[in-house]
Amino acid sequence: MKRVTIKERPDWREKASEFGFYFHSMHGKAYWSEEAYYQFTLAQIEELENTTAQLHQMCLEAVEKVVNSEERLTQFCIPRHCWDFVKASWDTRQPSLYSRLDLAYDGQSPAKLLENNADTPTSLYETAFFQWLWLEDQIQAQHLSREADQYNSLQEKLIYRFAELKSQHGFTFLHFTACQDSEEDRATVQYLKDCAKEADLEGRFLFIDEIGLGEKGELTDTDDQVIQHLFKLYPWEFMFREMFSTKLEGAHVSWLEPAWKSLISNKALLPLLWEMYPHHPNLLPAYFLNDPAINLSSYVVKPLFSREGANIEIVKKGEKIARSAGPYGAEGKIVQQFHPLPRFGDSYTMIGSWLVNDQPCGIGLREDNELITQDLSRFYPHIILN
């Protein structure tokens, strides 16, 4: 695994606009970056793929434990009135779409799981589509060898999964929703809507505050059409605490992602995995904050519901060396052993490893000059070349 400099495509900003990648820069800072790329060997990619598959199966085994334990559901801060709803989504194996595992990996030592973004993962469009376009353009410009490849079947598998949801799970029309205040979320949902259309699954977008509640408890869109199948880029932990959460079970909606994903997107998953698989080579020691068994000199404190690196604290040998602000933490926290991200020059790099329908299918890389990867951390493309 190495970082290699390369010439930018002279027209990449125009291409970004052409293909709807409007958030390539945010708040005056570059998000998409292509003055360099990361190069992997095929053996390294195979290791990442195998690790991702194994970790995901371990996470699914953790779900089985949580849904059958009131103590665990409480520990995961799932409101009591949602317990049966979450358990039923797992017992009936409601289908899922996609997930992203965040890994620390340097190409030499075993990859370590930092967290699981199983509910509302973003950086999807740039991973699945725009970095593939970059690869094709750079090969065409002879800046990359024609032997260069990319670990990236994400778009292909998304389209295939939407076709499966239609043919095997009865998805006839799919509503899509997200919040109004995030251009990235809106673009991610539009990309997924386009993938669904490629699979001949028609859909409609509406903002989440436009969803209504019908007289019989059904969810409705702005034309009073009943919502039967809904993709939401909106966290379950938010929904569980809103007024209409008592109506979720009676609405009879097939959700993407299903409610059981609220368990493996929760940081409480990390100490549970360590308890289930102690000393596993791809896990880091992790504990609930009040656990007397904690014996770590360097560690990361994470809120159960933290997103985009918010409210993270890193302590190294008793000294706080990094901290990020945010609105999370009151729900509870976990402690995970500090494992530094690999450093390339002045930057730290994290790998997002993607799955569609439980199958690993691609990676995206985020880079930051700070130790904590956050929403504006830069995205870089990658290649496979032995």
Side-chain angles (χ1 to χ4, degrees):
M1 176 182 175
K2 56 186 178 181
R3 189 182 190 275
V4 184
T5 58
I6 191 173
K7 288 183 179 180
E8 293 186 353
R9 294 170 294 170
D11 60 345
W12 76 259
R13 290 170 181 81
E14 289 78 10
K15 286 197 172 184
S17 297
E18 177 187 351
F19 289 104
F21 189 12
Y22 301 116
F23 58 97
H24 62 75
S25 299
M26 293 184 281
H27 309 292
K29 296 182 178 180
Y31 167 62
W32 170 267
S33 300
E34 58 174 68
E35 82 282 356
Y37 62 89
Y38 282 85
Q39 181 173 318
F40 295 83
T41 66
L42 181 59
Q44 290 168 337
I45 292 297
E46 289 174 342
E47 180 187 355
L48 284 170
E49 185 174 49
N50 293 335
T51 296
T52 298
Q54 184 180 15
L55 286 171
H56 181 67
Q57 289 304 311
M58 290 158 58
C59 291
L60 296 182
E61 290 174 22
V63 175
E64 180 71 23
K65 278 188 173 293
V66 178
V67 297
N68 291 301
S69 167
E70 292 186 359
E71 180 184 358
R72 293 292 190 188
L73 287 164
T74 301
Q75 208 171 37
F76 276 61
C77 289
I78 305 300
R80 182 177 291 270
H81 68 275
C82 297
W83 287 359
D84 289 344
F85 176 66
V86 173
K87 181 172 170 34
S89 75
W90 175 251
D91 289 344
T92 57
R93 294 304 190 269
Q94 290 183 13
S96 66
L97 182 61
Y98 70 145
S99 295
R100 191 191 80 229
L101 302 183
D102 286 344
L103 306 174
Y105 180 66
D106 61 5
Q108 301 175 31
S109 305
K112 301 291 187 181
L113 176 66
L114 301 177
E115 59 188 63
N116 188 345
N117 295 275
D119 183 18
T120 58
T122 52
S123 77
L124 176 69
Y125 170 86
E126 49 272 38
T127 301
F129 178 76
F130 206 69
Q131 71 166 340
W132 182 260
L133 184 64
W134 166 88
L135 176 69
E136 291 184 325
D137 287 347
Q138 294 289 37
I139 291 175
Q140 183 67 30
Q142 299 183 352
H143 295 152
L144 288 174
S145 166
R146 292 199 172 274
E147 295 179 358
D149 200 357
Q150 192 174 90
Y151 177 41
N152 190 3
S153 61
L154 187 46
Q155 178 168 293
E156 172 190 333
K157 285 187 168 57
L158 283 168
I159 294 170
Y160 184 79
R161 181 56 173 162
F162 279 121
E164 280 187 332
L165 291 170
K166 181 179 179 180
S167 63
Q168 299 179 20
H169 298 280
F171 280 56
T172 54
F173 187 91
L174 184 57
H175 283 82
F176 293 82
T177 192
C179 291
Q180 296 204 34
D181 57 356
S182 173
E183 185 176 23
E184 180 183 5
D185 286 4
R186 178 69 182 88
T188 300
V189 173
Q190 182 59 52
Y191 172 68
L192 284 167
K193 186 171 177 292
D194 291 343
C195 289
K197 189 172 183 178
E198 285 291 315
D200 293 323
L201 178 57
E202 295 297 325
R204 177 183 176 183
F205 177 85
L206 72 165
F207 290 112
I208 196 155
D209 55 5
E210 295 177 324
I211 295 175
L213 188 65
E215 293 181 357
K216 298 179 181 179
E218 69 275 23
L219 300 185
T220 58
D221 64 19
T222 52
D223 291 330
D224 293 327
Q225 179 182 351
V226 173
I227 297 173
Q228 296 180 308
H229 310 281
L230 179 62
F231 174 89
K232 54 158 201 66
L233 199 64
Y234 188 72
W236 274 115
E237 64 262 23
F238 291 1
M239 294 178 67
F240 287 161
R241 286 158 179 80
E242 292 173 357
M243 190 187 317
F244 82 100
S245 63
T246 57
K247 308 294 184 181
L248 289 170
E249 196 162 6
H252 303 296
V253 173
S254 295
W255 299 89
L256 293 176
E257 296 297 323
W260 59 263
K261 282 288 196 81
S262 66
L263 304 177
I264 56 174
S265 63
N266 189 315
K267 305 299 187 300
L269 171 74
L270 301 171
L272 175 56
L273 287 176
W274 186 248
E275 178 185 320
M276 293 171 62
Y277 306 97
H279 308 292
H280 190 283
N282 301 120
L283 296 178
L284 295 167
Y287 308 88
F288 290 96
L289 190 59
N290 58 356
D291 191 332
I294 297 174
N295 184 25
L296 302 172
S297 61
S298 298
Y299 54 87
V300 183
V301 181
K302 299 181 177 182
L304 300 189
F305 301 145
S306 173
R307 293 174 182 275
E308 301 285 8
N311 299 101
I312 303 294
E313 293 182 1
I314 300 178
V315 176
K316 188 174 182 180
K317 296 180 179 178
E319 179 184 354
K320 190 181 296 183
I321 61 171
R323 182 182 183 277
S324 59
Y328 305 101
E331 69 278 5
K333 300 179 180 180
I334 64 102
V335 174
Q336 184 183 51
Q337 184 183 72
F338 175 55
H339 183 85
L341 293 169
R343 187 170 182 176
F344 295 85
D346 295 327
S347 297
Y348 302 91
T349 302
M350 183 178 71
I351 295 176
S353 188
W354 290 85
L355 304 100
V356 172
N357 188 26
D358 304 328
Q359 301 300 314
C361 56
I363 58 172
L365 289 97
R366 303 287 299 280
E367 184 183 284
D368 204 296
N369 298 103
E370 304 297 330
L371 285 169
I372 300 173
T373 306
Q374 300 189 64
D375 56 344
L376 294 179
S377 299
R378 301 176 298 277
F379 186 102
Y380 281 84
H382 78 277
I383 70 167
I384 307 170
L385 189 65
N386 284 325

